[in-house]
Amino acid sequence: SSSDFMKLIWYMKYLYVFLASLKAKLIYRTNIVLEYGLTILQVGVSIFVWEALYSQKALVVPNYSLEKLNAYLFLANFLALSFSVAPAFRLATQIKSGRLSTLLERPISLYGEHLAYFIGDQLLGIVINLCLVVYFGALSGISVLMLLLLVIYLAFAGVMFFSLMMILGMLAFWLIELWPLRSFVTACYLLFGGRYFPLSHLPNKVFIVIQYNPFSLVTDIPARFLTVGLSGYELMQYLIVTLGWTFIFLVIYRLILKHGLR
């Protein structure tokens, strides 16, 4: 029918954006090598520090053997490559340069265009991380059903995190300089995402609150699930929190976009 054809044309626009983003990612292959190389170097330094602490018994993370801690740090930092902060700064650059006006005049959703671009840009990392999830899940003896639940959780967490990045990117409507925003987001990711150490090592009163922050939900939770384990009930609880954050971020996104365009 004509309505189905129009829907197909509508979705094709996002497919073109996705393919263009993927092509651009593959063209600059050196950036991919550097990105993963620097991540491996960062994880290696963290593992070296923790091995020194464990060998001297200066500090031991409860519930984590040295092997599990190394696996946790590896997973948390590699998962972070898929949950990139890049959408925030792509949108911010469009706002500051004036290119956003051109995009808004086109018959395409701003959110949808950025999401399609983001998926294309991160597709390689998503595939690699899915392989890591299956590999570490098999090592930990996690059932196929629980791994499938984790993949569903990661998909919703990706939309949640992307929505947060879109909100941060729209701060460029009011900010003159963007570099403090980049430093702030990076610091939050490192500290609250568990990329230096498992957040469960924090004092219990602090951990109870901080475990539900958006940065923790995309790195600490899945890394903890694949190393020391989480029950299906706990993972469902985190999924509900993720959906709650997504709803809140989408509402805030629409409000900020409305006021920012004014």
Side-chain angles (χ1 to χ4, degrees):
S1 65
S2 59
S3 60
D4 292 334
F5 178 75
M6 292 303 296
K7 288 181 181 179
L8 178 62
I9 296 297
W10 175 263
Y11 289 120
M12 285 295 290
K13 294 183 292 186
Y14 299 104
L15 178 61
Y16 290 140
V17 173
F18 164 80
L19 293 175
S21 175
L22 178 60
K23 183 179 179 180
K25 183 75 172 183
L26 295 177
I27 288 175
Y28 298 101
R29 290 181 291 273
T30 304
N31 290 345
I32 300 175
V33 174
L34 289 175
E35 185 178 35
Y36 279 87
L38 290 174
T39 301
I40 292 172
L41 180 61
Q42 178 183 343
V43 173
V45 171
S46 297
I47 290 175
F48 176 79
V49 171
W50 281 106
E51 284 184 345
L53 293 173
Y54 267 67
S55 64
Q56 300 175 10
K57 296 184 179 180
L59 182 62
V60 176
V61 180
N63 302 322
Y64 284 88
S65 64
L66 181 59
E67 291 76 14
K68 286 186 176 181
L69 181 61
N70 290 343
Y72 171 90
L73 293 173
F74 182 86
L75 285 167
N77 283 276
F78 269 82
L79 284 169
L81 294 177
S82 295
F83 299 99
S84 172
V85 300
F89 303 104
R90 178 173 180 257
L91 177 58
T93 301
Q94 288 178 337
I95 293 172
K96 302 304 294 184
S97 65
R99 293 200 299 271
L100 181 65
S101 300
T102 304
L103 181 60
L104 291 174
E105 292 175 354
R106 297 173 180 174
I108 191 170
S109 164
L110 175 64
Y111 187 95
E113 192 272 347
H114 274 263
L115 181 59
Y117 187 94
F118 172 71
I119 295 174
D121 186 62
Q122 298 299 320
L123 183 62
L124 178 62
I126 292 172
V127 172
I128 291 175
N129 280 323
L130 284 176
C131 294
L132 290 176
V133 165
V134 173
Y135 175 74
F136 280 95
L139 284 181
S140 301
I142 299 174
S143 67
V144 176
L145 182 61
M146 290 298 292
L147 284 178
L148 180 60
L149 181 60
L150 176 61
V151 171
I152 294 172
Y153 168 82
L154 289 172
F156 283 108
V159 176
M160 178 272 296
F161 195 77
F162 171 80
S163 301
L164 173 60
M165 291 302 104
M166 291 292 285
I167 292 174
L168 294 177
M170 284 189 294
L171 294 179
F173 281 121
W174 297 278
L175 293 178
I176 298 176
E177 296 291 339
L178 299 179
W179 65 263
L181 177 63
R182 181 179 291 274
S183 301
F184 171 76
V185 175
T186 302
C188 287
Y189 211 166
L190 292 172
L191 294 175
F192 300 131
R195 296 176 63 183
Y196 284 145
F197 56 87
L199 296 181
S200 56
H201 183 56
L202 294 170
N204 190 53
K205 291 182 179 179
V206 177
F207 173 68
I208 289 175
V209 177
I210 204 173
Q211 65 177 324
Y212 298 114
N213 82 81
F215 297 97
S216 167
L217 292 172
V218 297
T219 49
D220 176 73
I221 301 305
R224 185 147 51 95
F225 176 87
L226 291 168
T227 49
V228 297
L230 290 173
S231 66
Y233 172 78
E234 289 175 308
L235 191 59
M236 286 299 298
Q237 182 180 359
Y238 287 120
L239 177 58
I240 293 172
V241 173
T242 299
L243 293 175
W245 276 122
T246 304
F247 175 77
I248 293 171
F249 290 153
L250 288 175
V251 172
I252 296 175
Y253 164 79
R254 290 183 178 277
L255 291 175
I256 294 182
L257 179 62
K258 181 179 179 180
H259 289 284
L261 291 177
R262 287 179 179 175

